[in-house]
């Protein structure tokens, strides 16, 4: 897995951009502490965060990813009681409690909500998450969208029957539903389709389960787990794809959706979480009923059989990407936030 200094996921790339942009504004007084820094002893992470936020005389701005809320919550609570409160900004990509179930989900909800409310401000890259924050009473939110360079690049040649998924291969990404959907396609289509699954495969148990399912369905010559690939090879996969398939079960944003659209690829995905904020049904992609593999299979068939609709969605995908947040917008918004914080807490 990656980190803010060695990004591999969409969220990590966002955090890295944020960090680099703040460094440009104040290069001498910013450093990175992540949960990876103290992976051998998470208690040390809690102690270090507490010390840096509450025992420092510097008027620093602390920025953290809210994924580490169990380790920073005591530091935030102590800071809230201090007369000389420090500025603590949380980067919130998605709600961790939604990945849990049962009693653990309730505990995560309480602690995550408290952590968010104790922060000075929350930086959020997606309107979907902002809506969710407001529903739980968190109104101190600053929207700074995911930045895209909008550089000139190749467009897919839309090779029919070639489908692509890009992303980390683990449970939240819903790939078992995608394999089921491919298996539900008519036999004639299954023989023609090629699905390339590209991305980190370090979650070995889940990957093994996928391989078993692929074998059971006799889809070894249809579905290929490619693992991580080079940038050049990834570009080739995008350029040769007909459609991008994204069966994720929960997304705070889904950066890879925009990436696929930059190649002119329509995206087929489940209708959940932040996904319909980016994918508009029959305009730049297709939305299937959530966790419904049969409906997902029907959407794949529709994309193949309705050429007029497919052309509309290809144009719509490129248009959506052209309207996405630029790197210039991103830096301006960070500068505005930084200036506001300096004036408020100087």
């Amino acid at each position: 897995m990656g980190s803010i200094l060695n990004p591999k996921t969409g969220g990590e790339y966002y955090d890295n951009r944020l960090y680099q942009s703040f460094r440009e504004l104040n290069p001498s007084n910013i450093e990175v502490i992540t949960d990876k820094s103290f992976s051998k002893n998470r208690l040390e992470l809690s102690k270090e965060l507490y010390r840096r936020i509450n025992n420092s005389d510097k008027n620093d701005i602390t920025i953290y990813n809210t994924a580490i809320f169990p380790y920073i919550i005591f530091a935030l609570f102590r800071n809230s009681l201090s007369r000389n409160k420090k500025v603590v900004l949380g980067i919130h990509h998605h709600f961790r409690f939604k990945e849990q179930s049962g009693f653990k989900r309730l505990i995560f909800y309480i602690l995550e909500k408290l952590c968010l409310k104790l922060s000075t401000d929350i930086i959020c890259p997606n309107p979907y998450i902002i809506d969710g924050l407001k529903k739980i009473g968190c109104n101190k939110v600053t929207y700074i969208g995911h930045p895209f360079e909008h550089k000139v690049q190749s467009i897919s040649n839309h090779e029919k029957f070639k489908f692509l998924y890009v992303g980390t291969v683990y449970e939240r990404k819903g790939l078992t539903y995608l394999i089921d959907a491919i298996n539900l396609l008519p036999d004639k289509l299954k023989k023609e389709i090629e699905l390339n699954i590209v991305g980190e495969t370090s979650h070995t148990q889940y990957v093994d389960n996928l391989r078993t399912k692929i074998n059971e369905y006799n889809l070894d010559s249809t579905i290929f787990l490619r693992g991580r690939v080079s940038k050049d090879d990834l570009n080739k996969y995008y350029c040769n794809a007909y459609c991008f398939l994204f069966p994720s079960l929960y997304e705070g944003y889904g950066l890879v959706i925009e990436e696929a659209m930059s190649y002119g690829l329509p995206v087929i995905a489940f209708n959940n979480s932040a996904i319909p904020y980016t994918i508009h049904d029959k305009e730049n992609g297709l939305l299937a009923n959530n966790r419904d593999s049969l409906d997902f299979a029907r959407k794949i068939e529709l994309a193949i059989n309705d050429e007029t609709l497919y052309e509309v969605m290809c144009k719509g995908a490129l248009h959506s990407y052209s309207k996405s947040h630029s790197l210039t917008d991103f830096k301006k918004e960070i500068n505005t936030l930084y200036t506001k914080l300096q004036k408020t807490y100087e």
Side-chain angles (χ1 to χ4, degrees), residues 91-238:
I91 310 170
H92 193 57
H93 292 283
H94 63 269
F95 293 99
R96 300 288 166 167
F97 78 86
K98 291 189 176 182
E99 297 179 13
Q100 311 302 321
S101 60
F103 185 68
K104 190 175 181 181
R105 182 183 176 99
L106 175 62
I107 296 299
F108 266 55
Y109 170 77
I110 293 170
L111 294 179
E112 191 169 9
K113 179 180 177 180
L114 181 60
C115 179
L116 291 164
K117 287 198 165 189
L118 289 173
S119 300
T120 307
D121 204 334
I122 300 297
I123 299 171
C124 187
N126 186 266
Y128 163 73
I129 295 297
I130 292 176
D131 290 345
L133 287 166
K134 289 179 179 178
K135 286 178 182 177
I136 63 172
C138 295
N139 296 311
K140 297 178 293 183
V141 182
T142 298
Y143 171 69
I144 300 178
H146 270 285
F148 295 90
E149 294 184 18
H150 292 153
K151 58 186 178 183
V152 177
Q153 65 178 37
S154 303
I155 302 300
S156 174
N157 57 29
H158 305 288
E159 189 171 335
K160 205 159 189 177
F161 304 118
K162 281 199 173 183
F163 292 85
L164 178 65
Y165 163 88
V166 176
T168 306
V169 180
Y170 72 114
E171 189 171 1
R172 181 168 65 84
K173 297 302 182 178
L175 289 161
T176 55
Y177 291 91
L178 178 55
I179 293 171
D180 287 340
I182 298 298
N183 187 56
L184 289 168
L185 291 170
D187 290 340
K188 184 179 178 181
L189 266 185
K190 277 191 283 188
K191 292 177 182 178
E192 295 182 280
I193 278 179
E194 176 183 308
L195 169 60
N196 291 299
I197 297 175
V198 176
E200 184 75 46
T201 55
S202 58
H203 298 259
T204 53
Q205 183 60 58
Y206 184 72
V207 173
D208 288 344
N209 291 341
L210 292 182
R211 292 188 193 281
T212 299
K213 185 179 278 282
I214 291 168
N215 290 333
E216 288 176 353
Y217 288 156
N218 294 315
L219 294 173
D220 304 81
S221 59
T222 300
I223 301 175
F224 303 91
L225 292 165
R226 304 295 188 182
R228 286 190 63 82
V229 300
S230 67
K231 286 186 178 181
D232 286 344
D233 284 343
L234 180 60
N235 181 63
K236 290 176 184 176
Y237 279 116
Y238 273 121

Side-chain angles (χ1 to χ4, degrees), residues 270-283:
F270 285 130
N271 188 0
N272 65 45
S273 55
I275 291 171
Y277 282 69
T278 306
I279 300 174
H280 305 295
D281 196 44
K282 296 185 178 180
E283 293 180 15

